[in-house]
Amino acid sequence: MNPIVILLTALIPLTIGFIYYHPKAFGNAWMKTSGLTEESLKKGNFPIILLLCYVFSLFLAMALTGIVIHQNHIYSILINEPGLKEEGSVLFNYVADFMSKYGTNFRTFKHGAFHGALSGIFLALPIVGINALFERREWKYTAIHVGYWTLTLALMGGVICQFT
């Protein structure tokens, strides 16, 4: 995991959110479906909100690394096998050989964006959708948020896959 890429990727949800939820984009529709007003949004400690959003975005970036970079799975499968970390061992050499041959397969922005978008559909949609159903929100509420998360996760996945 490249910590610099993860730290920078965690800025994507904040940046996209600033644009996506702007009144000239989906901001007015989001406020209406959420029952919010500009006055109610001014309440709260905005620096703390942004800080926590960044921390949560770091969690997302770290989780997406395991989703978009398939080569990580060889390590998760072999993590407890003796010799994995012993330079010169049969297993160490096997993994090194595997990574030299296949370590760059599917490591493109396009591939990461694809898996990020799938995460938006198969993770964000059910989570937001279930919450919206119990909160008795209209479908537009779900569509706005899932659109944001699908776009955001696609961009995050693309950056992580391309640059990690």
Side-chain angles (χ1 to χ4, degrees):
M1 198 181 303
N2 184 332
I4 302 297
V5 171
I6 298 301
L7 291 169
L8 292 174
T9 301
L11 293 170
I12 292 173
L14 295 156
T15 305
I16 297 302
F18 177 77
I19 298 166
Y20 191 90
Y21 290 104
H22 189 276
K24 291 185 179 180
F26 293 99
N28 289 331
W30 163 68
M31 285 192 300
K32 183 178 177 189
T33 64
S34 298
L36 297 169
T37 63
E38 288 194 32
E39 294 79 36
S40 67
L41 289 174
K42 291 178 183 174
K43 296 178 183 173
N45 189 333
F46 199 63
I48 295 296
I49 291 169
L50 288 177
L51 176 66
L52 288 173
C53 286
Y54 182 72
V55 170
F56 296 150
S57 296
L58 283 170
F59 294 169
L60 279 172
M62 289 185 280
L64 271 176
T65 301
I67 293 171
V68 302
I69 300 177
H70 303 307
Q71 289 82 354
N72 288 338
H73 301 295
I74 192 170
Y75 294 106
S76 64
I77 292 168
L78 300 173
I79 192 70
N80 290 326
E81 294 296 317
L84 178 63
K85 298 175 186 174
E86 297 170 22
E87 193 169 336
S89 73
V90 173
L91 184 57
F92 183 91
N93 291 338
Y94 171 79
V95 171
D97 183 53
F98 176 88
M99 291 303 283
S100 71
K101 289 179 183 173
Y102 309 109
T104 59
N105 286 13
F106 304 107
R107 296 293 295 275
T108 64
F109 183 89
K110 180 180 172 182
H111 186 79
F114 173 71
H115 282 287
L118 287 178
S119 298
I121 295 164
F122 290 105
L123 294 174
L125 173 59
I127 292 168
V128 173
I130 289 168
N131 285 349
L133 288 169
F134 282 101
E135 293 174 6
R136 309 303 194 264
R137 302 284 184 168
E138 58 185 87
W139 172 246
K140 191 175 188 179
Y141 174 91
T142 301
I144 290 169
H145 288 303
V146 172
Y148 162 76
W149 281 115
T150 302
L151 173 63
T152 298
L153 291 168
L155 291 172
M156 290 176 77
V159 168
I160 290 167
C161 198
Q162 179 71 50
F163 297 107
T164 298

